[in-house]
């Protein structure tokens, strides 16, 4: 890492810059990417971060999920700050900072840098110049039948063109690959843990499309006539195509439309900045998508329950966090519909559990001890559905103080699950319910309570979430996680996570659990639970047993029955 920083600094004079900014995202602005320039320069492996390398100092900005992790991975060479410190930051006053214009939006630059320093566009990515990362371009895009996704491409394009006409726009530039995937009912292999097809899409108000990507990836779509030859555009010919398009107004979403592409479109068209409408359209799952997600979660629940039974019974043996993660993946692999994990499994025992997004590595991980609490956050991509679940488990009797905190986290989890969504219509209101019992003891957690989840796509999606600030109204068909937690630095971590979806029953909206796996009863102080909370647990575990017991062997089934 030190050599890369030193090598990067040798380029500053050539480009007449005082520093260089390295974000986590790639040029598609995806959360998880096979390219990770930030890790190259900083050793930080988290999913959210930004580094600034100056001639004599280095800074790393990230969020509350990575407070501990960033210090462990990068603290020797970087000054660590939260993202909030970056907004209108004066640390870089009067300095010229170089950026790759394909990796930033104009809004980001305006928020972070415009007041105190000069930004210079450097067309060549300087991290790629010092260490070229291998790109994986061989996985072709593939299409999903309407029977799987529940809606035709034509129906989706009708919704988009209606939005264009409403906003008096001739075109929309869909710059987020997951939104292209939803629109065209296609998937790919460009995400490390999600079936993302790295591509962009132009849709006109007359419903004409241009898919912008790599020809090698799109050959199958062209061969099967999912995409017509005239509808495909190689990324290198986009500037010429933009010049020949006829119209006045072009909608872009500058959460994922980089400075490079905005400037390209702006050279001919008037830019209208709007949130890409597909985020909301995609978030509201139809009945077919919900049905597929329910089925995927039953398969996933079987694998996780088998794992929980296994690890609880073999805890006298010495296994590592990596062993545990591999074993869980092997249980998932027993099902033919499992494709790969939806993110790298978090298996943190003892003090590692307090690192919110901890990643165990073979060369450096803990052996799980009988006295440890193990936090295991994992998920899978299935044909067809995406899962994400966290269970915190123990192997021996724990102190009352720990059981009390686990129970307060559980009470918050139940409070979310039983929310009257007709009263608490936004994530902001529901988030308060999740933290209520911890807050009474002056305890809290530095992450949101829930994030949106895609259908056979990204494990994290918006615009819906359960956080202190999210005001998006929850609607029927939305899927979210429900994951309050608590983390005691250098000691343990606790998190209980289910995925839920919003269902309408007799005009009333409520959350329905998707996740089907038992919640650790040995960490519960039942004296702290109300009758309603105890009834909720009983009904939940009865539903779990009814859904997955037929797929378990007799010993696993008997063990699961003890939760009822």
């Amino acid at each position: 890492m030190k050599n890369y920083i030193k090598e990067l600094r040798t380029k500053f004079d050539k480009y007449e810059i005082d520093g260089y900014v390295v974000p986590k995202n790639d040029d598609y602005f995806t959360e998880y990417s096979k390219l990770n320039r930030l890790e190259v320069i900083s050793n930080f492996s988290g999913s959210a971060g930004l580094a600034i390398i100056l001639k004599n100092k280095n800074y790393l900005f990230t969020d509350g999920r990575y407070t501990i992790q960033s210090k462990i991975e990068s603290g020797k060479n970087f000054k660590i700050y939260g993202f909030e410190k970056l907004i209108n930051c004066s640390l870089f006053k009067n300095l010229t900072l170089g950026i790759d214009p394909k990796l930033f939006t104009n809004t980001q630059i305006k928020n972070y840098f415009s007041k105190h320093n000069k930004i210079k566009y450097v067309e060549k990515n300087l991290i790629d110049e010092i260490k070229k990362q291998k790109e994986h371009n061989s996985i072709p895009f593939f299409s999903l039948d309407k029977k799987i996704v529940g809606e035709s491409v034509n129906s989706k394009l009708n919704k988009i063109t209606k939005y264009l006409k409403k906003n008096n726009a001739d075109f929309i530039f869909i710059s987020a690959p997951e939104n292209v995937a939803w629109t065209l009912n296609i998937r790919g292999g460009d995400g490390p843990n999600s079936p993302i097809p790295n591509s962009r899409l132009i849709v006109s108000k007359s419903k004409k499309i241009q898919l912008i990507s790599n020809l090698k990836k799109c050959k199958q779509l062209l061969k099967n006539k999912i995409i017509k030859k005239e509808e495909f555009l190689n990324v290198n010919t986009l500037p010429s195509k933009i010049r020949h398009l006829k119209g006045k107004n072009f909608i872009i979403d500058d959460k994922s439309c980089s400075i490079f592409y905005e400037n390209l479109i702006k050279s001919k068209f008037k830019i209208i900045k709007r949130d890409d409408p597909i985020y909301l359209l995609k978030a509201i799952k139809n009945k077919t998508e919900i049905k597929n997600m329910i089925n995927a979660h039953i398969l996933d629940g079987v694998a996780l329950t088998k794992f929980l039974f296994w690890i609880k019974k073999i805890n006298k043996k010495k296994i590592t966090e990596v062993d545990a993660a591999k074993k869980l993946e092997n249980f998932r692999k027993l099902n033919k519909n499992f494709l790969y994990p939806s993110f790298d499994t978090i298996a943190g025992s003892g003090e590692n559990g307090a690192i919110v997004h901890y990643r165990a590595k073979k060369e450096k991980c803990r052996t799980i001890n009988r006295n440890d609490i193990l936090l295991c956050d994992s998920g899978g991509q299935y044909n067809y559905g995406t899962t994400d679940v966290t269970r915190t488990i123990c192997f021996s009797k724990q102190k009352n103080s720990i059981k009390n905190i686990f129970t307060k986290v559980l009470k918050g989890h139940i409070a979310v699950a039983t929310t009257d969504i007709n009263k608490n219509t936004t994530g902001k209101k529901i988030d308060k319910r999740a933290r209520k019992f911890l807050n009474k003891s002056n305890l809290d957690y530095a992450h949101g309570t829930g994030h949106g989840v895609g259908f056979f796509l990204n494990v994290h999606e918006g615009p819906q979430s359960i956080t202190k600030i999210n005001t998006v109204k929850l609607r029927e068909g939305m899927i979210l996680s429900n994951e309050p937690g608590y983390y005691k630095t250098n000691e343990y971590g606790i998190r209980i996570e289910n995925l839920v979806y919003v269902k309408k029953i007799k005009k009333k909206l409520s959350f329905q659990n998707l996740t089907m796996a038992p919640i650790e009863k040995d960490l519960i102080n039942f004296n702290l639970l109300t009758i309603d909370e105890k009834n909720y647990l009983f009904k939940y575990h009865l539903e779990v047993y009814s859904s997955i017991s037929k797929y378990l062997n007799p010993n696993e089934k008997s063990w699961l029955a003890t939760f009822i």
Side-chain angles (χ1 to χ4, degrees), residues 98-122:
I99 69 160
D100 181 341
K102 289 184 178 179
L103 303 183
F104 289 89
T105 68
N106 274 310
T107 297
Q108 286 176 318
I109 296 302
K110 184 178 178 182
N111 288 342
Y112 293 162
F113 303 116
S114 60
K115 286 190 178 181
H116 301 290
N117 46 266
K118 182 182 176 184
I119 290 297
K120 184 173 183 179
Y121 301 157
V122 180

Side-chain angles (χ1 to χ4, degrees), residues 424-433 449-450 464-474 480 511:
N424 300 287
T425 56
T426 65
K428 183 177 180 179
K429 292 179 179 179
I430 298 170
D431 187 81
K432 292 178 182 177
R433 292 170 58 82
T449 299
Q464 77 280 19
S465 67
I466 304 173
T467 69
K468 292 178 179 180
I469 60 171
N470 192 284
T471 56
V472 173
K473 188 175 180 181
L474 297 184
L480 301 103
F511 284 134

Side-chain angles (χ1 to χ4, degrees), residues 106 116 219 270 272 289 334 406 411 455 486 491 544:
N106 274 310
H116 301 290
K219 276 186 177 179
K270 180 183 176 183
I272 302 173
E289 290 171 315
L334 292 174
F406 180 91
K411 286 169 77 73
F455 168 71
Y486 177 75
E491 291 197 31
V544 170

